[in-house]
Amino acid sequence: MVEELVEKLVKKLPGVPKEEIEKRAKLLICEFKVPPSEAAWSIINYARREFKLEAPRVKIAELQPGTTATVKAKVIRLFESRNPKVKYVGIAGDETGTVRFVVFNEDIEVEEGKVYEFRNVGVDEFRDRLTITVTSLGSVAELDEDIEVKAREEVTFEGAVVAVQRNSGLVQRCKKCGRIANRGLCVAHGKVETEEALRAKLIVDDGETAVQAVLSGEVLEKLTGLTFDEAVRIKNELGREATYDEIAKRLVGRYVRLQGTRGSYYLITSQAEVIA
Amino acid sequence: MIARRRLPAVRMFSKEFNASTEVVEEQVDGSIKVTKLLSPLGIKFGRVFVVGTLLDVTEAKKEPRILRARISDPLGSFTVFASAYTPLPLAVLSELEPPCFVAVVARPRVLRTPILRPEYITPVEASTFDRWVEETYAHTLKRIETFEKQESEAAKLAEEKYDFDVEEFKRAIARAKEGRFEEPREEEEESREAEEIEIDMTDIEDDFDLEQYLLQ
């Protein structure tokens, strides 16, 4: 039990001599009957303080789940979390890739577009996405520099449209940031003025892989043959849901070729055509 | 970009689908159960993509309203049931005029025989149908190849549970690809004329589609 814990901690505390960790672990677990999970936390804190540790500086592409790291990245996108314990969830990037980040500490402030050093963050894989977590052990320091963020990978995918997800059709976008703002509420800006826009989230499936793609504006108009003005007419006559139905009727079951860039959650489509 | 948790929409001809009478329930993410069928070619599938010809739409039940649709492909036909639990397909089926080409994205269920519970039904072009036949032929051949190797647990289970004539099926799909059709056999004609199946709403599940919910 102690052995297992020591092995795990050696990974998390690079630069700390194994004997020190072993000594502390035996003291807590064997002598003071501390449960291993509590002991782990305590040893990490102790070691970091004693050895003034800073987790190794790495690039995003080098991040390994299960370790602690320090990474310099630009905040690309910020979301307000639905979880009351979490302050921010967002996406940060450097020239080697992008990563999701989670901030628990209420005192930390970050802004989209700025570059920060995320220090002593925990690295995990959560729901298939690499995530760095800023806890009380970590910190975020704003840097006065700009870094280049890796350009998204260009991808092409062919398959049949098998689903149209919600928030497709004629939707309301926040005038300040462009996010979908149903009923005039933007997750980032609160109550806002909205503008109407045509967009769709599709699932395109080739029988083995299902891809989530997002299409908007002209790209969607060209694919469906449904213009923005026609969509507005449908909304006025039959309601907003009818614009969803119209997109579904025109697209589901058709084979399409999509070209675009690989986003964190979607294929961001720049070109789309029906092929059968 | 890749929706890893989502069940892929399997391409399958009616002959293989209608023989898939074994139901397999799998646990996903703890307590969520997903209903899949085991095909005689050793694939467990929970979603199907079909393109075929809408032959007829009949009222299976008046109150609550249930429509039965028959959709043909080169090897036979699929049975689709639409109800208030599938509002979009129900609306579309009420408006379509057979014969016409339709695409169906559906969850497979066994209700005395394998049937399709549609998520979407949409009118499509002849070119869509042609492409689907080509694609389904290719996917089916791959499935046959994998099945004959008998390496997976599902393949072995299918071999055990089913008495499926793979050779005859290979011939049938080759004919389908060439555009030649099956001559209906006598027994098939008779069973079609058999009494209408009594459909009850309790037969049609109203399971909350948790998968959709998780994806949102």
Side-chain angles (χ1 to χ4, degrees):
Chain A
M1 194 171 59
V2 177
E3 285 309 305
E4 241 187 84
L5 183 66
V6 171
E7 287 309 314
K8 260 199 259 181
L9 291 176
V10 165
K11 247 177 52 176
K12 283 214 164 193
L13 302 167
V16 180
K18 188 173 176 181
E19 315 83 61
E20 288 292 325
I21 298 177
E22 236 168 12
K23 209 172 75 180
R24 191 82 186 166
K26 287 202 175 120
L27 178 72
L28 293 176
I29 296 174
C30 304
E31 211 182 305
F32 284 95
K33 316 278 187 243
V34 177
S37 49
E38 293 300 324
W41 200 231
S42 167
I43 295 170
I44 292 173
N45 278 341
Y46 168 79
R48 290 220 173 106
R49 272 192 314 258
E50 285 297 306
F51 292 89
K52 301 228 185 310
L53 276 194
E54 199 180 86
R57 276 201 176 80
V58 289
K59 297 282 172 193
I60 286 176
E62 298 166 327
L63 289 170
Q64 290 289 333
T67 62
T68 312
T70 294
V71 63
K72 177 163 68 175
K74 182 188 284 191
V75 172
I76 298 170
R77 189 91 160 143
L78 208 55
F79 304 99
E80 244 171 50
S81 168
R82 275 174 263 178
N83 183 336
K85 292 196 194 140
V86 173
K87 185 169 190 202
Y88 296 113
V89 173
I91 298 172
D94 66 11
E95 73 275 14
T96 66
T98 60
V99 69
R100 173 163 66 197
F101 68 88
V102 180
V103 175
F104 285 95
N105 193 334
E106 272 301 316
D107 301 327
I108 295 178
E109 298 279 335
V110 293
E111 274 174 51
E112 274 182 18
K114 292 207 168 141
V115 177
Y116 300 89
E117 187 165 69
F118 293 84
R119 297 183 181 143
N120 295 343
V121 292
V123 185
D124 313 90
E125 200 165 356
F126 179 67
R127 288 210 173 167
D128 296 335
R129 189 88 174 89
L130 197 62
T131 307
I132 57 174
T133 311
V134 184
T135 61
S136 52
L137 285 181
S139 60
V140 175
E142 189 178 324
L143 300 178
D144 191 18
E145 54 181 282
D146 194 18
I147 58 171
E148 216 183 277
V149 175
K150 182 183 179 197
R152 289 184 167 131
E153 191 191 332
E154 293 281 323
V155 285
T156 301
F157 189 76
E158 272 181 28
V161 177
V162 294
V164 177
Q165 298 187 291
R166 67 183 182 93
N167 281 338
S168 298
L170 202 64
V171 298
Q172 293 174 289
R173 284 196 190 274
C174 165
K175 275 195 166 162
K176 291 192 183 153
C177 67
R179 283 185 175 93
I180 304 298
N182 284 329
R183 301 181 209 98
L185 284 171
C186 175
V187 288
H189 299 105
K191 214 169 161 86
V192 284
E193 251 184 73
T194 60
E195 53 192 359
E196 298 287 324
L198 204 53
R199 72 91 90 143
K201 286 192 299 180
L202 308 177
I203 304 275
V204 180
D205 184 312
D206 67 2
E208 278 161 29
T209 312
V211 163
Q212 277 182 191
V214 66
L215 290 81
S216 1
E218 248 181 64
V219 178
L220 185 61
E221 286 187 8
K222 268 179 56 195
L223 184 68
T224 56
L226 178 74
T227 64
F228 177 78
D229 293 332
E230 277 164 30
V232 172
R233 236 171 293 146
I234 294 174
K235 168 182 158 260
N236 292 335
E237 276 174 44
L238 304 163
R240 202 179 284 279
E241 313 76 52
T243 62
Y244 168 93
D245 291 346
E246 188 60 31
I247 302 261
K249 200 164 91 162
R250 288 176 186 230
L251 290 185
V252 176
R254 307 306 298 272
Y255 288 93
V256 295
R257 177 182 301 120
L258 305 177
Q259 270 173 266
T261 57
R262 183 193 289 267
S264 321
Y265 300 104
Y266 298 106
L267 193 170
I268 300 166
T269 317
S270 53
Q271 263 178 280
E273 53 171 345
V274 173
I275 55 184
Chain B
M1 168 171 133
I2 294 181
R4 260 173 259 270
R5 287 151 167 248
R6 208 188 137 91
L7 293 169
V10 170
R11 278 59 162 161
M12 191 178 287
F13 287 120
S14 58
K15 202 175 172 84
E16 185 185 350
F17 180 76
N18 292 332
S20 306
T21 51
E22 282 290 316
V23 180
V24 173
E25 287 217 349
E26 285 188 351
Q27 292 265 357
V28 163
D29 267 6
S31 56
I32 303 167
K33 277 199 287 193
V34 170
T35 304
K36 293 186 184 178
L37 303 191
L38 175 70
S39 102
L41 296 181
I43 184 185
K44 290 186 199 164
F45 61 103
R47 183 176 273 120
V48 178
F49 175 58
V50 164
V51 179
T53 307
L54 181 66
L55 297 174
D56 46 58
V57 181
T58 53
E59 201 176 68
K61 198 161 179 117
K62 214 183 181 101
E63 196 76 44
R65 189 149 180 257
I66 304 176
L67 292 182
R68 177 199 289 107
R70 266 195 326 138
I71 293 165
S72 72
D73 74 356
L75 274 81
S77 66
F78 295 89
T79 306
V80 175
F81 283 107
S83 67
Y85 288 118
T86 61
L88 191 56
L90 186 67
V92 172
L93 276 182
S94 311
E95 286 171 12
L96 288 175
E97 291 269 345
C100 55
F101 287 115
V102 289
V104 184
V105 180
R107 308 294 290 266
R109 296 283 185 268
V110 175
L111 217 71
R112 295 182 190 83
T113 57
I115 59 117
L116 293 176
R117 201 194 71 171
E119 293 176 320
Y120 300 89
I121 298 181
T122 53
V124 293
E125 307 286 318
S127 56
T128 320
F129 174 71
D130 292 337
R131 187 170 176 121
W132 179 84
V133 172
E134 289 254 2
E135 195 182 50
T136 306
Y137 176 73
H139 286 210
T140 305
L141 275 190
K142 244 174 70 176
R143 259 203 299 283
I144 294 175
E145 214 185 289
T146 313
F147 174 68
E148 286 178 336
K149 288 202 201 133
Q150 281 288 295
E151 281 165 349
S152 71
E153 184 223 304
K156 296 188 186 127
L157 188 65
E159 171 74 44
E160 191 193 303
K161 299 269 183 184
Y162 291 114
D163 189 17
F164 193 70
D165 190 339
V166 181
E167 290 308 313
E168 201 233 305
F169 185 59
K170 278 190 206 171
R171 288 193 293 269
I173 62 174
R175 283 199 295 268
K177 178 147 186 297
E178 290 168 32
R180 287 153 56 202
F181 299 105
E182 290 283 298
E183 288 300 318
R185 286 174 298 141
E186 291 230 354
E187 318 92 71
E188 268 172 38
E189 292 278 1
E190 279 166 22
S191 65
R192 290 249 177 81
E193 286 158 24
E195 278 192 65
E196 296 277 273
I197 302 169
E198 260 294 307
I199 301 296
D200 196 329
M201 274 301 247
T202 57
D203 281 343
I204 297 173
E205 299 149 288
D206 57 344
D207 44 358
F208 176 46
D209 198 344
L210 245 102
E211 199 186 284
Q212 292 269 41
Y213 177 71
L214 287 174
L215 253 193
Q216 300 297 9

PDB file of all heavy atoms in Angstrom, chain B residues 29-56:
ATOM      1  N   ASP B  29     -22.013   3.406 -19.330  1.00  0.00           N
ATOM      2  CA  ASP B  29     -21.892   4.437 -18.297  1.00  0.00           C
ATOM      3  C   ASP B  29     -22.648   4.119 -17.017  1.00  0.00           C
ATOM      4  O   ASP B  29     -23.394   4.945 -16.513  1.00  0.00           O
ATOM      5  CB  ASP B  29     -22.455   5.775 -18.827  1.00  0.00           C
ATOM      6  CG  ASP B  29     -21.359   6.622 -19.444  1.00  0.00           C
ATOM      7  OD1 ASP B  29     -20.223   6.118 -19.563  1.00  0.00           O
ATOM      8  OD2 ASP B  29     -21.640   7.779 -19.793  1.00  0.00           O
ATOM      9  N   GLY B  30     -22.503   2.916 -16.536  1.00  0.00           N
ATOM     10  CA  GLY B  30     -23.163   2.623 -15.262  1.00  0.00           C
ATOM     11  C   GLY B  30     -24.554   2.078 -15.399  1.00  0.00           C
ATOM     12  O   GLY B  30     -24.749   0.914 -15.663  1.00  0.00           O
ATOM     13  N   SER B  31     -25.570   2.936 -15.248  1.00  0.00           N
ATOM     14  CA  SER B  31     -26.921   2.391 -15.181  1.00  0.00           C
ATOM     15  C   SER B  31     -27.721   2.546 -16.467  1.00  0.00           C
ATOM     16  O   SER B  31     -28.883   2.174 -16.513  1.00  0.00           O
ATOM     17  CB  SER B  31     -27.674   3.076 -14.042  1.00  0.00           C
ATOM     18  OG  SER B  31     -27.628   4.476 -14.256  1.00  0.00           O
ATOM     19  N   ILE B  32     -27.111   3.111 -17.515  1.00  0.00           N
ATOM     20  CA  ILE B  32     -27.871   3.317 -18.746  1.00  0.00           C
ATOM     21  C   ILE B  32     -27.808   2.056 -19.584  1.00  0.00           C
ATOM     22  O   ILE B  32     -26.748   1.551 -19.895  1.00  0.00           O
ATOM     23  CB  ILE B  32     -27.280   4.497 -19.543  1.00  0.00           C
ATOM     24  CG1 ILE B  32     -27.265   5.748 -18.671  1.00  0.00           C
ATOM     25  CG2 ILE B  32     -28.070   4.740 -20.804  1.00  0.00           C
ATOM     26  CD1 ILE B  32     -26.430   6.861 -19.231  1.00  0.00           C
ATOM     27  N   LYS B  33     -29.013   1.552 -19.959  1.00  0.00           N
ATOM     28  CA  LYS B  33     -29.062   0.335 -20.767  1.00  0.00           C
ATOM     29  C   LYS B  33     -29.365   0.679 -22.204  1.00  0.00           C
ATOM     30  O   LYS B  33     -30.258   1.484 -22.487  1.00  0.00           O
ATOM     31  CB  LYS B  33     -30.132  -0.611 -20.215  1.00  0.00           C
ATOM     32  CG  LYS B  33     -29.631  -1.440 -19.044  1.00  0.00           C
ATOM     33  CD  LYS B  33     -30.489  -2.650 -18.808  1.00  0.00           C
ATOM     34  CE  LYS B  33     -31.821  -2.228 -18.200  1.00  0.00           C
ATOM     35  NZ  LYS B  33     -32.565  -3.394 -17.675  1.00  0.00           N
ATOM     36  N   VAL B  34     -28.624   0.066 -23.126  1.00  0.00           N
ATOM     37  CA  VAL B  34     -28.858   0.293 -24.544  1.00  0.00           C
ATOM     38  C   VAL B  34     -29.301  -1.021 -25.167  1.00  0.00           C
ATOM     39  O   VAL B  34     -28.660  -2.047 -24.968  1.00  0.00           O
ATOM     40  CB  VAL B  34     -27.555   0.797 -25.217  1.00  0.00           C
ATOM     41  CG1 VAL B  34     -27.703   0.813 -26.711  1.00  0.00           C
ATOM     42  CG2 VAL B  34     -27.209   2.176 -24.706  1.00  0.00           C
ATOM     43  N   THR B  35     -30.405  -0.973 -25.919  1.00  0.00           N
ATOM     44  CA  THR B  35     -30.907  -2.174 -26.578  1.00  0.00           C
ATOM     45  C   THR B  35     -30.241  -2.319 -27.929  1.00  0.00           C
ATOM     46  O   THR B  35     -30.277  -1.393 -28.748  1.00  0.00           O
ATOM     47  CB  THR B  35     -32.435  -2.079 -26.785  1.00  0.00           C
ATOM     48  OG1 THR B  35     -33.037  -1.852 -25.518  1.00  0.00           O
ATOM     49  CG2 THR B  35     -32.978  -3.371 -27.374  1.00  0.00           C
ATOM     50  N   LYS B  36     -29.619  -3.461 -28.157  1.00  0.00           N
ATOM     51  CA  LYS B  36     -29.033  -3.733 -29.469  1.00  0.00           C
ATOM     52  C   LYS B  36     -29.571  -5.070 -29.961  1.00  0.00           C
ATOM     53  O   LYS B  36     -30.055  -5.886 -29.185  1.00  0.00           O
ATOM     54  CB  LYS B  36     -27.510  -3.832 -29.353  1.00  0.00           C
ATOM     55  CG  LYS B  36     -26.823  -2.542 -28.988  1.00  0.00           C
ATOM     56  CD  LYS B  36     -25.318  -2.721 -29.052  1.00  0.00           C
ATOM     57  CE  LYS B  36     -24.627  -1.456 -28.602  1.00  0.00           C
ATOM     58  NZ  LYS B  36     -23.178  -1.595 -28.609  1.00  0.00           N
ATOM     59  N   LEU B  37     -29.480  -5.259 -31.282  1.00  0.00           N
ATOM     60  CA  LEU B  37     -29.822  -6.565 -31.839  1.00  0.00           C
ATOM     61  C   LEU B  37     -28.529  -7.216 -32.317  1.00  0.00           C
ATOM     62  O   LEU B  37     -27.584  -6.526 -32.695  1.00  0.00           O
ATOM     63  CB  LEU B  37     -30.789  -6.433 -33.016  1.00  0.00           C
ATOM     64  CG  LEU B  37     -32.125  -5.723 -32.777  1.00  0.00           C
ATOM     65  CD1 LEU B  37     -33.042  -5.946 -33.974  1.00  0.00           C
ATOM     66  CD2 LEU B  37     -32.810  -6.201 -31.519  1.00  0.00           C
ATOM     67  N   LEU B  38     -28.530  -8.540 -32.318  1.00  0.00           N
ATOM     68  CA  LEU B  38     -27.393  -9.278 -32.849  1.00  0.00           C
ATOM     69  C   LEU B  38     -27.776  -9.746 -34.245  1.00  0.00           C
ATOM     70  O   LEU B  38     -28.793 -10.404 -34.432  1.00  0.00           O
ATOM     71  CB  LEU B  38     -27.080 -10.491 -31.956  1.00  0.00           C
ATOM     72  CG  LEU B  38     -25.980 -11.426 -32.448  1.00  0.00           C
ATOM     73  CD1 LEU B  38     -24.618 -10.744 -32.342  1.00  0.00           C
ATOM     74  CD2 LEU B  38     -25.983 -12.723 -31.659  1.00  0.00           C
ATOM     75  N   SER B  39     -26.959  -9.380 -35.243  1.00  0.00           N
ATOM     76  CA  SER B  39     -27.298  -9.823 -36.592  1.00  0.00           C
ATOM     77  C   SER B  39     -26.701 -11.205 -36.831  1.00  0.00           C
ATOM     78  O   SER B  39     -25.733 -11.577 -36.176  1.00  0.00           O
ATOM     79  CB  SER B  39     -26.774  -8.828 -37.639  1.00  0.00           C
ATOM     80  OG  SER B  39     -25.594  -9.308 -38.253  1.00  0.00           O
ATOM     81  N   PRO B  40     -27.275 -11.963 -37.769  1.00  0.00           N
ATOM     82  CA  PRO B  40     -26.717 -13.289 -38.052  1.00  0.00           C
ATOM     83  C   PRO B  40     -25.277 -13.236 -38.544  1.00  0.00           C
ATOM     84  O   PRO B  40     -24.595 -14.264 -38.573  1.00  0.00           O
ATOM     85  CB  PRO B  40     -27.635 -13.860 -39.137  1.00  0.00           C
ATOM     86  CG  PRO B  40     -28.598 -12.814 -39.486  1.00  0.00           C
ATOM     87  CD  PRO B  40     -28.495 -11.699 -38.537  1.00  0.00           C
ATOM     88  N   LEU B  41     -24.792 -12.043 -38.912  1.00  0.00           N
ATOM     89  CA  LEU B  41     -23.401 -11.927 -39.335  1.00  0.00           C
ATOM     90  C   LEU B  41     -22.515 -11.402 -38.214  1.00  0.00           C
ATOM     91  O   LEU B  41     -21.432 -10.876 -38.454  1.00  0.00           O
ATOM     92  CB  LEU B  41     -23.295 -11.015 -40.570  1.00  0.00           C
ATOM     93  CG  LEU B  41     -23.995 -11.542 -41.819  1.00  0.00           C
ATOM     94  CD1 LEU B  41     -23.797 -10.583 -42.981  1.00  0.00           C
ATOM     95  CD2 LEU B  41     -23.451 -12.922 -42.201  1.00  0.00           C
ATOM     96  N   GLY B  42     -22.990 -11.548 -36.985  1.00  0.00           N
ATOM     97  CA  GLY B  42     -22.127 -11.274 -35.834  1.00  0.00           C
ATOM     98  C   GLY B  42     -21.855  -9.830 -35.506  1.00  0.00           C
ATOM     99  O   GLY B  42     -20.777  -9.500 -35.013  1.00  0.00           O
ATOM    100  N   ILE B  43     -22.810  -8.938 -35.750  1.00  0.00           N
ATOM    101  CA  ILE B  43     -22.603  -7.560 -35.347  1.00  0.00           C
ATOM    102  C   ILE B  43     -23.721  -7.149 -34.395  1.00  0.00           C
ATOM    103  O   ILE B  43     -24.889  -7.464 -34.629  1.00  0.00           O
ATOM    104  CB  ILE B  43     -22.531  -6.615 -36.571  1.00  0.00           C
ATOM    105  CG1 ILE B  43     -22.211  -5.203 -36.132  1.00  0.00           C
ATOM    106  CG2 ILE B  43     -23.805  -6.617 -37.354  1.00  0.00           C
ATOM    107  CD1 ILE B  43     -22.249  -4.194 -37.249  1.00  0.00           C
ATOM    108  N   LYS B  44     -23.342  -6.479 -33.306  1.00  0.00           N
ATOM    109  CA  LYS B  44     -24.351  -5.971 -32.369  1.00  0.00           C
ATOM    110  C   LYS B  44     -24.599  -4.526 -32.778  1.00  0.00           C
ATOM    111  O   LYS B  44     -23.674  -3.727 -32.823  1.00  0.00           O
ATOM    112  CB  LYS B  44     -23.812  -5.998 -30.937  1.00  0.00           C
ATOM    113  CG  LYS B  44     -23.652  -7.389 -30.378  1.00  0.00           C
ATOM    114  CD  LYS B  44     -23.259  -7.315 -28.909  1.00  0.00           C
ATOM    115  CE  LYS B  44     -22.645  -8.612 -28.452  1.00  0.00           C
ATOM    116  NZ  LYS B  44     -21.925  -8.467 -27.181  1.00  0.00           N
ATOM    117  N   PHE B  45     -25.833  -4.211 -33.095  1.00  0.00           N
ATOM    118  CA  PHE B  45     -26.097  -2.866 -33.591  1.00  0.00           C
ATOM    119  C   PHE B  45     -27.274  -2.225 -32.875  1.00  0.00           C
ATOM    120  O   PHE B  45     -28.254  -2.884 -32.544  1.00  0.00           O
ATOM    121  CB  PHE B  45     -26.311  -2.880 -35.113  1.00  0.00           C
ATOM    122  CG  PHE B  45     -27.480  -3.721 -35.572  1.00  0.00           C
ATOM    123  CD1 PHE B  45     -28.669  -3.114 -35.944  1.00  0.00           C
ATOM    124  CD2 PHE B  45     -27.377  -5.106 -35.647  1.00  0.00           C
ATOM    125  CE1 PHE B  45     -29.756  -3.879 -36.382  1.00  0.00           C
ATOM    126  CE2 PHE B  45     -28.465  -5.882 -36.074  1.00  0.00           C
ATOM    127  CZ  PHE B  45     -29.655  -5.266 -36.444  1.00  0.00           C
ATOM    128  N   GLY B  46     -27.178  -0.914 -32.651  1.00  0.00           N
ATOM    129  CA  GLY B  46     -28.229  -0.191 -31.944  1.00  0.00           C
ATOM    130  C   GLY B  46     -28.811   0.935 -32.772  1.00  0.00           C
ATOM    131  O   GLY B  46     -29.695   1.666 -32.314  1.00  0.00           O
ATOM    132  N   ARG B  47     -28.303   1.084 -33.957  1.00  0.00           N
ATOM    133  CA  ARG B  47     -28.838   2.123 -34.853  1.00  0.00           C
ATOM    134  C   ARG B  47     -28.611   1.668 -36.283  1.00  0.00           C
ATOM    135  O   ARG B  47     -27.602   1.048 -36.590  1.00  0.00           O
ATOM    136  CB  ARG B  47     -28.172   3.463 -34.600  1.00  0.00           C
ATOM    137  CG  ARG B  47     -28.743   4.601 -35.469  1.00  0.00           C
ATOM    138  CD  ARG B  47     -28.129   5.944 -35.123  1.00  0.00           C
ATOM    139  NE  ARG B  47     -28.844   6.589 -34.036  1.00  0.00           N
ATOM    140  CZ  ARG B  47     -28.287   6.909 -32.881  1.00  0.00           C
ATOM    141  NH1 ARG B  47     -27.036   6.645 -32.649  1.00  0.00           N
ATOM    142  NH2 ARG B  47     -29.004   7.512 -31.956  1.00  0.00           N
ATOM    143  N   VAL B  48     -29.598   1.989 -37.143  1.00  0.00           N
ATOM    144  CA  VAL B  48     -29.549   1.542 -38.532  1.00  0.00           C
ATOM    145  C   VAL B  48     -29.797   2.720 -39.462  1.00  0.00           C
ATOM    146  O   VAL B  48     -30.596   3.608 -39.148  1.00  0.00           O
ATOM    147  CB  VAL B  48     -30.640   0.469 -38.777  1.00  0.00           C
ATOM    148  CG1 VAL B  48     -30.645   0.014 -40.213  1.00  0.00           C
ATOM    149  CG2 VAL B  48     -30.431  -0.727 -37.881  1.00  0.00           C
ATOM    150  N   PHE B  49     -29.117   2.712 -40.609  1.00  0.00           N
ATOM    151  CA  PHE B  49     -29.397   3.711 -41.647  1.00  0.00           C
ATOM    152  C   PHE B  49     -29.848   2.960 -42.890  1.00  0.00           C
ATOM    153  O   PHE B  49     -29.120   2.111 -43.401  1.00  0.00           O
ATOM    154  CB  PHE B  49     -28.150   4.548 -41.952  1.00  0.00           C
ATOM    155  CG  PHE B  49     -28.336   5.513 -43.088  1.00  0.00           C
ATOM    156  CD1 PHE B  49     -29.342   6.470 -43.041  1.00  0.00           C
ATOM    157  CD2 PHE B  49     -27.517   5.468 -44.209  1.00  0.00           C
ATOM    158  CE1 PHE B  49     -29.528   7.368 -44.096  1.00  0.00           C
ATOM    159  CE2 PHE B  49     -27.685   6.362 -45.262  1.00  0.00           C
ATOM    160  CZ  PHE B  49     -28.695   7.305 -45.200  1.00  0.00           C
ATOM    161  N   VAL B  50     -31.051   3.249 -43.335  1.00  0.00           N
ATOM    162  CA  VAL B  50     -31.654   2.548 -44.472  1.00  0.00           C
ATOM    163  C   VAL B  50     -32.152   3.552 -45.496  1.00  0.00           C
ATOM    164  O   VAL B  50     -32.719   4.590 -45.143  1.00  0.00           O
ATOM    165  CB  VAL B  50     -32.857   1.697 -43.970  1.00  0.00           C
ATOM    166  CG1 VAL B  50     -33.749   1.257 -45.111  1.00  0.00           C
ATOM    167  CG2 VAL B  50     -32.372   0.491 -43.189  1.00  0.00           C
ATOM    168  N   VAL B  51     -31.932   3.245 -46.776  1.00  0.00           N
ATOM    169  CA  VAL B  51     -32.573   4.036 -47.833  1.00  0.00           C
ATOM    170  C   VAL B  51     -33.342   3.050 -48.692  1.00  0.00           C
ATOM    171  O   VAL B  51     -32.778   2.040 -49.140  1.00  0.00           O
ATOM    172  CB  VAL B  51     -31.556   4.815 -48.691  1.00  0.00           C
ATOM    173  CG1 VAL B  51     -32.274   5.594 -49.787  1.00  0.00           C
ATOM    174  CG2 VAL B  51     -30.751   5.758 -47.820  1.00  0.00           C
ATOM    175  N   GLY B  52     -34.610   3.304 -48.904  1.00  0.00           N
ATOM    176  CA  GLY B  52     -35.406   2.366 -49.693  1.00  0.00           C
ATOM    177  C   GLY B  52     -36.634   3.030 -50.272  1.00  0.00           C
ATOM    178  O   GLY B  52     -36.769   4.260 -50.226  1.00  0.00           O
ATOM    179  N   THR B  53     -37.528   2.211 -50.783  1.00  0.00           N
ATOM    180  CA  THR B  53     -38.747   2.732 -51.382  1.00  0.00           C
ATOM    181  C   THR B  53     -39.898   2.592 -50.414  1.00  0.00           C
ATOM    182  O   THR B  53     -40.169   1.490 -49.917  1.00  0.00           O
ATOM    183  CB  THR B  53     -39.087   1.944 -52.671  1.00  0.00           C
ATOM    184  OG1 THR B  53     -37.947   1.945 -53.512  1.00  0.00           O
ATOM    185  CG2 THR B  53     -40.276   2.562 -53.391  1.00  0.00           C
ATOM    186  N   LEU B  54     -40.570   3.690 -50.131  1.00  0.00           N
ATOM    187  CA  LEU B  54     -41.749   3.645 -49.264  1.00  0.00           C
ATOM    188  C   LEU B  54     -42.879   3.017 -50.074  1.00  0.00           C
ATOM    189  O   LEU B  54     -43.286   3.534 -51.117  1.00  0.00           O
ATOM    190  CB  LEU B  54     -42.131   5.058 -48.815  1.00  0.00           C
ATOM    191  CG  LEU B  54     -43.337   5.168 -47.884  1.00  0.00           C
ATOM    192  CD1 LEU B  54     -43.032   4.512 -46.537  1.00  0.00           C
ATOM    193  CD2 LEU B  54     -43.721   6.637 -47.665  1.00  0.00           C
ATOM    194  N   LEU B  55     -43.347   1.859 -49.629  1.00  0.00           N
ATOM    195  CA  LEU B  55     -44.366   1.125 -50.382  1.00  0.00           C
ATOM    196  C   LEU B  55     -45.772   1.499 -49.946  1.00  0.00           C
ATOM    197  O   LEU B  55     -46.664   1.699 -50.762  1.00  0.00           O
ATOM    198  CB  LEU B  55     -44.180  -0.384 -50.172  1.00  0.00           C
ATOM    199  CG  LEU B  55     -42.886  -0.975 -50.679  1.00  0.00           C
ATOM    200  CD1 LEU B  55     -42.783  -2.434 -50.273  1.00  0.00           C
ATOM    201  CD2 LEU B  55     -42.807  -0.838 -52.196  1.00  0.00           C
ATOM    202  N   ASP B  56     -45.976   1.519 -48.646  1.00  0.00           N
ATOM    203  CA  ASP B  56     -47.300   1.879 -48.136  1.00  0.00           C
ATOM    204  C   ASP B  56     -47.204   2.323 -46.685  1.00  0.00           C
ATOM    205  O   ASP B  56     -46.257   1.982 -45.972  1.00  0.00           O
ATOM    206  CB  ASP B  56     -48.290   0.715 -48.259  1.00  0.00           C
ATOM    207  CG  ASP B  56     -47.708  -0.602 -47.795  1.00  0.00           C
ATOM    208  OD1 ASP B  56     -47.277  -0.689 -46.624  1.00  0.00           O
ATOM    209  OD2 ASP B  56     -47.668  -1.552 -48.613  1.00  0.00           O
TER     210      ASP B  56
END
